[in-house]
Amino acid sequence: MSEGTMQRAAAQSDQRDPRRKRAHRVLLGAAAVPLMLVATACSSDSGSSSDDNAAAGGSSSGSETSASVSASPTVQAAAYKSLPDACDTLSKGTLGDLVPKASKSGKQGKSDDIATRGSCSWSSLDNNGVKGSQFRWLNVSLLRFDSDATRGEGDKLAQEYFDKQVQDAQAVDGAKNAKAEPVTGTGDQATLVRYDLKKKEGAFKQQTLVTRVENVVVTLDYNGAGLAGEKTPSADTLAKLVKSAAKEAVASVTKANTGGGSGGGSSKTSPSPSASKSASPSASPSKSAAKKS
């Protein structure tokens, strides 16, 4: 049999036996499977890595966002929201003891905001003719501080101003024998500063009492002198009088914030940062008192 005849016989044999064809296809398919598995594995790894990165990136972004948002600072609201009229802080009887010859209405000080600051002064001259005269001068100053998110709580701001007032009272030019003493039973804290001041009119005995009640500072400047031959008043007597007046002034502040006073604002008014800024003093009442004496 020739070679060509043998090849045709083999080909015909393959066609007649379909099992040989299926075996051939199975071998080809088996060879392709590893390639598909490798491709699928690569694709799966790539997707998983992308998802992980995306998740990590999202978490990081969220953390940065939450970290960048800080809580707004808050402070406790000030206790007192209003002030009494400074000229109404003392009773007629008290004024009669401290400044007996003064006008009971007093001289109202200028204020750009009566809810945060106010003052009133009285001047008394008891003329005894050739024997001379007794002079008395009294000034009541009120200053209220609101709580402010930037500057702090109202009572803390009042505390700082209280300390400054006491320091300024002890640093008046020309003051002699200055001394400071704590005063109990008047507001949350109180200090009396006493000194002698020699002027051309006579020898003055100065009493400056500074007291704080919550977020309000009350300063009373009181002095007396014997003029034209009259004797100099007793410093102890003046100190006793101003201490009594200070308690009354503090009570007026408390009353103005409990619905029974003639305050410059409602006790339920929310704190105003702008008001606290306007309440910053431009000059010390104790220094101005010394000049006016």
Side-chain angles (χ1 to χ4, degrees):
M1 185 181 294
S2 64
E3 182 179 352
T5 302
M6 291 177 66
Q7 291 178 350
R8 285 194 298 271
Q12 292 174 357
S13 177
D14 290 339
Q15 292 176 358
R16 289 194 299 267
D17 190 354
R19 290 178 294 179
R20 292 186 178 182
K21 291 183 178 182
R22 285 197 298 271
H24 183 68
R25 287 196 297 269
V26 170
L27 291 174
L28 291 177
V33 168
L35 294 177
M36 294 176 64
L37 292 175
V38 171
T40 303
C42 291
S43 175
S44 176
D45 290 345
S46 175
S48 176
S49 177
S50 299
D51 292 342
D52 291 344
N53 290 336
S59 175
S60 175
S61 176
S63 299
E64 292 176 359
T65 302
S66 60
S68 64
V69 178
S70 58
S72 300
T74 58
V75 293
Q76 183 176 353
Y80 292 158
K81 308 299 188 296
S82 61
L83 292 176
D85 186 314
C87 290
D88 293 335
T89 55
L90 303 177
S91 66
K92 291 182 179 180
T94 298
L95 291 172
D97 292 336
L98 275 73
V99 282
K101 298 298 180 178
S103 169
K104 299 302 181 286
S105 60
K107 183 179 179 180
Q108 191 86 46
K110 293 182 179 180
S111 174
D112 55 358
D113 186 354
I114 60 174
T116 58
R117 64 166 68 229
S119 65
C120 191
S121 61
W122 297 262
S123 182
S124 171
L125 183 64
D126 186 5
N127 194 338
N128 296 315
V130 294
K131 294 182 179 180
S133 57
Q134 285 290 331
F135 175 79
R136 300 289 186 274
W137 184 80
L138 171 67
N139 184 79
V140 177
S141 174
L142 310 172
L143 192 59
R144 183 181 66 83
F145 292 85
D146 276 322
S147 294
D148 183 274
T150 301
R151 302 176 63 206
E153 296 179 358
D155 59 342
K156 300 299 182 184
L157 297 174
Q159 169 75 64
E160 294 173 1
Y161 182 63
F162 170 88
D163 294 337
K164 184 177 184 302
Q165 283 289 85
V166 173
Q167 293 174 2
D168 288 348
Q170 299 177 78
V172 173
D173 291 341
K176 303 294 184 182
N177 305 318
K179 62 178 181 178
E181 60 185 60
V183 177
T184 60
T186 305
D188 294 312
Q189 58 185 144
T191 298
L192 174 65
V193 178
R194 306 167 58 173
Y195 58 84
D196 300 331
L197 192 63
K198 183 69 175 179
K199 304 180 76 172
K200 64 180 182 179
E201 296 89 351
F204 287 77
K205 297 291 184 179
Q206 174 71 34
Q207 314 287 321
T208 297
L209 198 156
V210 186
T211 180
R212 179 185 69 82
V213 53
E214 296 288 356
N215 56 306
V216 176
V217 177
V218 181
T219 303
L220 284 82
D221 286 294
Y222 182 51
N223 62 47
L227 309 179
E230 260 282 24
K231 64 179 182 179
T232 302
S234 166
D236 290 339
T237 299
L238 297 181
K240 183 178 180 179
L241 288 171
V242 78
K243 287 179 181 179
S244 177
K247 290 182 179 180
E248 195 170 309
V250 167
S252 295
V253 173
T254 302
K255 184 179 179 181
N257 288 273
T258 55
S262 57
S266 169
S267 61
K268 296 182 179 180
T269 303
S270 59
S272 168
S274 60
S276 66
K277 292 181 181 179
S278 67
S280 300
S282 58
S284 166
S286 59
K287 288 188 177 181
S288 63
K291 293 180 181 178
K292 292 181 181 178
S293 299

